[in-house]
Structure formats: structure tokens, C-alpha cells
Amino acid sequence: MGIQRVRSYLEENYAENISLEQLATIAHLSPFHLLRTFRDQMSLPPHAYQIQIRIMHAKHMLRLGLSCIDTAMAVGFADQSHFTKHFKRIVGVPPGMYGNIRKK
């Protein structure tokens, strides 16, 4: 039940900087136990899960025609290079290319 609360919180607040301690409080678990349990259930640690959610939202925004920098800021990345690094690792192409491909 605690992990589901954490998932919901991350999905609703994906653009925010959220600490492991905040998530542990939501789950009523210690940070270490939350990290281990979340990874066991979701196959990712909480921060990686949050990045996946950010990228999912970013893909939608890029398809709508938003610029890379506006998208990066809207989904909670510190800067465009941080966004591009994660986007390319997860999607396989840089966000600018993804946006151009999706527009055609």
C-alpha cells in the first residue's frame, strides 16, 4: 500500500524535486526499506521511475510542438542538457529529433 502511495505521488508531482526522505514519509517506511521495496516491486528505484514519468510527459509535449527547453523545464529537468541525456538514453533519439520525426 505504501509503494502505491509513493507511485501516485510521483506520478502527480513528477516535475518536482522529491527527496527519498519525503517518499519514505509518504510510504511510512525508512528510506532504505522504501528504496529496496520500491525497486523490488517496480524494477526501478523511485528516482529512475520519476525520470521515466518525466520522459513520458516530455514525449507528449514534444508531439504537441513545444520546444526542447520549454519541455525540459516543464517536466522538471534542471537544464536542457540533463533532459537531453535522459531522453536519448530512454527513447533512443535526442528530443529535438523526436519532435521533428513526430511532426512529419
Side-chain angles (χ1 to χ4, degrees), residues 17-95:
N17 289 326
I18 305 167
S19 71
L20 185 59
E21 289 76 20
Q22 287 174 282
L23 297 176
T25 299
I26 291 166
H28 305 292
L29 299 170
S30 73
F32 177 76
H33 190 68
L34 168 65
L35 188 60
R36 190 176 65 228
T37 305
F38 194 95
R39 188 178 307 152
D40 288 347
Q41 290 185 23
M42 302 302 301
S43 301
L44 294 169
H47 184 68
Y49 184 77
Q50 182 183 29
I51 289 173
Q52 292 278 343
I53 295 166
R54 287 177 174 179
I55 296 300
M56 178 187 70
H57 285 277
K59 287 168 62 178
H60 176 71
M61 292 175 178
L62 292 169
R63 285 192 301 263
L64 292 175
L66 268 72
S67 70
C68 290
I69 188 64
D70 290 340
T71 300
M73 296 298 121
V75 298
F77 285 99
D79 55 47
Q80 188 173 348
S81 67
H82 189 223
F83 168 60
T84 299
K85 178 183 112 180
H86 286 291
F87 192 95
K88 188 174 180 182
R89 179 179 53 83
I90 292 169
V91 179
V93 296

